[in-house]
Amino acid sequence: MRYHWLDEYLLQKRSVTKDLQPVWNWVRYMVGGKMFAAVCLDKQNQPYYINLKLDPSDGEFLRSQYRDILPGYYSDKRCWNSIRPDGAVPDQLLREMLDQSYALILASFPKKRQRELLGLTVCGSVCSECSCYGAPCAGCNESGGKVFHAPAGKPCPIYACCVNKRHCATCKDCAELPCGLWRSTRDPSLSDAAFEADLQQRVSALRDSVCSARSVTAE
Ligand code: SF4
Ligand code: SF4
């Protein structure tokens, strides 16, 4: 297989695990227990296909452009695709296809579960690394946004907008990110410079967490 980077590339994605399905002899890469990619091995344990999921129209287009992209072996052929591991599909295109497959499977989970799998709140914070986590704060996901610093009995304004009003998992894909609510919801103990650095770090955490399940394009 010429894509030597593939295993490391997939395992650095958030909440990804892998196993060997012994009957099929597939190395499966999963998020939240659902497979989003697999390397299919022959009896000599050599890869013969890389399986991944794509938007059906992207899959149809790419199969028409590359002879090494085939309808998914042993899978739903509308959504799954098999890539020959020693073929001519460019490395960057394969990365984009794997990114899309991960994003599609992640998006199949309820939005709260998506945030848990990403390890992020709607606004890109990491509760498990926060000194307030446990007490005084129950955490954003666990409390439905009703964190200790929100108005009594109400969710944080960012959570209310993102989850309750716009029905998004996080603010990542919002065109207004970082919006006025982001700027007005702040820890009063932070200086302006520290708040701006924290805000930019959270924006980056969200944007780097998962690609949008956007179209991939042939090179
Ligand atoms: S203050 Fe609460 S919601 Fe915010 S990061 Fe800390 S634990 Fe999470
Ligand atoms: S406007 Fe957009 S960025 Fe701001 S809180 Fe709502 S979803 Fe998030």
Side-chain angles (χ1 to χ4, degrees):
M1 161 142 110
R2 70 181 193 83
Y3 305 111
H4 300 295
W5 46 265
L6 185 139
D7 183 71
E8 187 180 352
Y9 186 73
L10 295 179
L11 289 177
Q12 53 81 35
K13 292 181 178 296
R14 290 171 185 254
S15 293
V16 168
T17 57
K18 80 169 180 179
D19 71 0
L20 177 70
Q21 212 292 348
V23 178
W24 308 339
N25 209 20
W26 287 14
V27 179
R28 300 184 300 183
Y29 296 86
M30 294 177 283
V31 57
K34 290 188 187 179
M35 187 180 82
F36 71 95
V39 176
C40 310
L41 304 174
D42 63 18
K43 288 188 176 142
Q44 286 72 47
N45 288 330
Q46 294 304 308
Y48 61 94
Y49 281 136
I50 300 161
N51 274 15
L52 51 81
K53 188 172 188 176
L54 291 174
D55 175 85
S57 59
D58 285 345
E60 189 179 352
F61 171 70
L62 289 170
R63 290 195 297 270
S64 75
Q65 302 296 303
Y66 293 93
R67 59 190 297 183
D68 294 314
I69 304 179
L70 305 159
Y73 171 71
Y74 222 71
S75 313
D76 173 356
K77 298 191 184 330
R78 207 176 70 88
C79 301
W80 287 84
N81 301 268
S82 294
I83 290 83
R84 290 195 178 104
D86 289 302
V89 174
D91 289 44
Q92 185 53 29
L93 176 59
L94 181 58
R95 284 191 191 91
E96 289 181 17
M97 289 194 287
L98 292 164
D99 290 349
Q100 186 185 109
S101 190
Y102 174 85
L104 287 170
I105 298 299
L106 184 72
S108 71
F109 287 96
K111 294 183 173 62
K112 181 175 182 228
R113 183 68 181 135
Q114 290 180 44
R115 290 192 293 277
E116 289 169 354
L117 290 167
L118 292 174
L120 294 172
T121 66
V122 291
C123 70
S125 297
V126 181
C127 288
S128 60
E129 295 175 359
C130 176
S131 59
C132 298
Y133 190 44
C137 189
C140 181
N141 252 348
E142 293 88 339
S143 65
K146 293 177 183 172
V147 291
F148 78 104
H149 52 77
K154 294 191 173 171
C156 157
I158 299 174
Y159 187 98
C161 174
C162 177
V163 177
N164 299 343
K165 183 176 163 194
R166 301 191 182 211
H167 308 293
C168 297
T170 72
C171 291
K172 182 179 86 68
D173 289 324
C174 179
E176 296 164 50
L177 176 68
C179 69
L181 285 175
W182 271 58
R183 295 197 174 278
S184 60
T185 307
R186 59 179 286 179
D187 179 347
S189 70
L190 294 180
S191 67
D192 287 352
F195 173 69
E196 188 62 27
D198 176 68
L199 182 147
Q200 294 304 334
Q201 191 275 327
R202 287 184 287 122
V203 170
S204 297
L206 286 176
R207 289 190 172 144
D208 294 346
S209 61
V210 57
C211 77
S212 302
R214 66 193 190 290
S215 294
V216 288
T217 49
E219 291 183 356

